[in-house]
Amino acid sequence: MPEKNSPDADVTAAARLSVAPMMDWTDRHCRYFHRLISGRALLYTEMVTAPALVRGGAVHLLEFSQPEHPVAIQLGGSDPAELAEAARLCAERGYDEINLNVGCPSDRVQSGCFGAVLMERPALVADCVAAMIKSQPVEVTVKCRIGVDDQDPEAVLPDFLSRIRDAGVSRVTIHARKAWLQGLSPKENRDVPPLDYDLVHRMKAEFPDLHISLNGGLETLEAGLPHLQMLDGLMYGRAAYHQPWDVLSDADEKVFGEVPQTKTRADVVHAMLPYIEAHVDAGGKLAQVTRHMLGLFAGQPGARGWRRTLSEGAHKPESGMALVLQALDAVQVAQAA
């Protein structure tokens, strides 16, 4: 195991491109699917709250499969002791990284005093990450905003980064927007506050020892690549979910320097079939897996039929691999026309 919070070479390399933690989206089925498209990207879990793990005993939320590696878990919380215990539970289960959420603007996150509201309490964040680092050997990272509400990001962000660096954090992902906790919904907070990529670039220049990844507003892989000339990594959220092939299929080549891959979207579908069969045989619902696959053919002939077949049929109790193959056949017929 690495020394306490010493960057693991594999996971740090993987952080050159990552898929963001997204509530209700990046579950274990989604991560398995994304891993079939990119073998190198770092995959994040949905946020799991420290109280749920420590007080609620919900350790089932930590389950993942070995093919998902490298995989990082995101924790939410604001109590140093509780986060330390939650981090220990995550480390015991083999996660490659443990990330603290200091970016989510949702109401339920604010009421629990974690997420973006913690940008207003940098000393507490420093205490939290220091406790997490001390409790276990896996690297602890932070995902944050550039500020919240009326804060001046030019003043707030450097102070925040300095504090978490001094507490032992060496890797941070910055969503290059403010979070407006008063007046904007969580959905609006993803789009309305203006992006400030230049500020993130300046933070890298000011903190060259920090590994800094950029998050926010990245719609295509090509749009993100120029930022890698100044920053250490890119984190994709909705674009990677809704157009997974477009973002992830060339990432291993263009971001990680691997040889170009020859597999196709259809190859990924076929590679998912054993996983789907095992999930359904164990009593799971087909839709729990296929809902994450709807964007695989985005922009391609037959994409609408693929989505419609899976969306309308996957919820039926008898649905299984045959429905997925039916949807794939429809795509291939459309592409051959």
Side-chain angles (χ1 to χ4, degrees):
M1 283 188 174
E3 296 177 2
K4 290 185 183 296
N5 217 53
S6 61
D8 181 281
D10 291 338
V11 71
T12 299
R16 192 158 175 81
L17 186 137
S18 58
V19 178
M22 292 178 282
M23 292 298 293
D24 300 322
W25 287 6
T26 50
D27 63 16
R28 60 186 304 185
H29 308 309
C30 177
R31 298 192 303 269
Y32 188 92
F33 169 58
H34 284 171
R35 177 59 68 221
L36 292 179
I37 304 175
S38 169
R40 294 291 302 273
L42 177 60
L43 305 179
Y44 280 81
T45 69
E46 304 170 89
M47 183 187 69
V48 178
T49 70
L53 296 176
V54 177
R55 287 182 249 161
V59 292
H60 66 279
L61 298 174
L62 302 181
E63 294 176 358
F64 69 96
S65 56
Q66 290 303 308
E68 294 173 39
H69 286 293
V71 59
I73 186 164
Q74 185 180 68
L75 293 178
S78 59
D79 179 270
E82 198 164 55
L83 280 165
E85 176 60 15
R88 187 187 64 78
L89 293 171
C90 296
E92 287 178 351
R93 282 153 181 81
Y95 281 97
D96 300 297
E97 172 194 326
I98 301 168
N99 179 267
L100 181 63
N101 182 333
V102 191
C104 180
S106 76
D107 293 339
R108 58 179 171 170
V109 168
Q110 291 182 54
S111 64
C113 192
F114 53 92
V117 70
L118 287 175
M119 292 296 298
E120 299 176 333
R121 305 179 68 182
L124 176 59
V125 175
D127 289 342
C128 288
V129 294
M132 294 165 71
I133 291 167
K134 185 177 180 181
S135 71
Q136 50 75 47
V138 176
E139 184 180 8
V140 173
T141 67
V142 169
K143 184 174 187 289
C144 68
R145 292 277 183 143
I146 62 173
V148 297
D149 294 339
D150 293 324
Q151 287 183 328
D152 176 9
E154 297 281 356
V156 168
L157 189 57
D159 177 64
F160 179 85
L161 295 178
S162 178
R163 288 173 185 262
I164 63 171
R165 179 195 60 186
D166 292 347
V169 169
S170 61
R171 188 151 51 86
V172 60
T173 298
I174 303 174
H175 186 146
R177 286 187 175 95
K178 268 189 176 184
W180 286 93
L181 305 179
Q182 306 295 326
L184 291 182
S185 69
K187 182 178 185 299
E188 290 169 330
N189 264 299
R190 292 194 295 265
D191 299 303
V192 174
L195 289 158
D196 193 344
Y197 291 150
D198 288 343
L199 174 61
V200 181
H201 295 165
R202 292 198 298 276
M203 291 303 97
K204 178 59 185 179
E206 187 168 337
F207 298 90
D209 53 328
L210 278 180
H211 182 292
I212 296 179
S213 291
L214 176 70
N215 175 232
L218 299 174
E219 298 293 337
T220 66
L221 181 63
E222 288 68 26
L225 294 177
H227 293 286
L228 290 177
Q229 299 175 20
M230 294 155 281
L231 300 170
D232 303 294
L234 305 169
M235 177 180 278
Y236 284 82
R238 286 167 291 163
Y241 188 86
H242 292 302
Q243 297 94 33
W245 187 265
D246 296 339
V247 172
L248 296 175
S249 66
D250 289 335
D252 290 3
E253 173 193 358
K254 295 181 178 179
V255 176
F256 297 100
E258 300 280 346
V259 297
Q261 67 170 343
T262 58
K263 65 185 174 186
T264 65
R265 291 174 171 90
D267 292 333
V268 171
V269 174
H270 284 287
M272 281 296 295
L273 294 179
Y275 182 89
I276 289 171
E277 182 178 33
H279 177 69
V280 172
D281 287 350
K285 306 293 186 183
L286 177 64
Q288 292 171 322
V289 180
T290 57
R291 71 186 183 98
H292 302 300
M293 300 171 63
L294 297 179
L296 179 59
F297 292 95
Q300 300 295 301
R304 183 176 299 177
W306 164 262
R307 293 194 304 270
R308 183 176 62 249
T309 300
L310 293 180
S311 297
E312 294 177 356
H315 294 280
K316 298 177 181 178
E318 69 277 9
S319 294
M321 288 193 302
L323 181 74
V324 181
L325 290 172
Q326 177 188 334
L328 179 58
D329 286 342
V331 171
Q332 292 173 331
V333 168
Q335 293 182 345

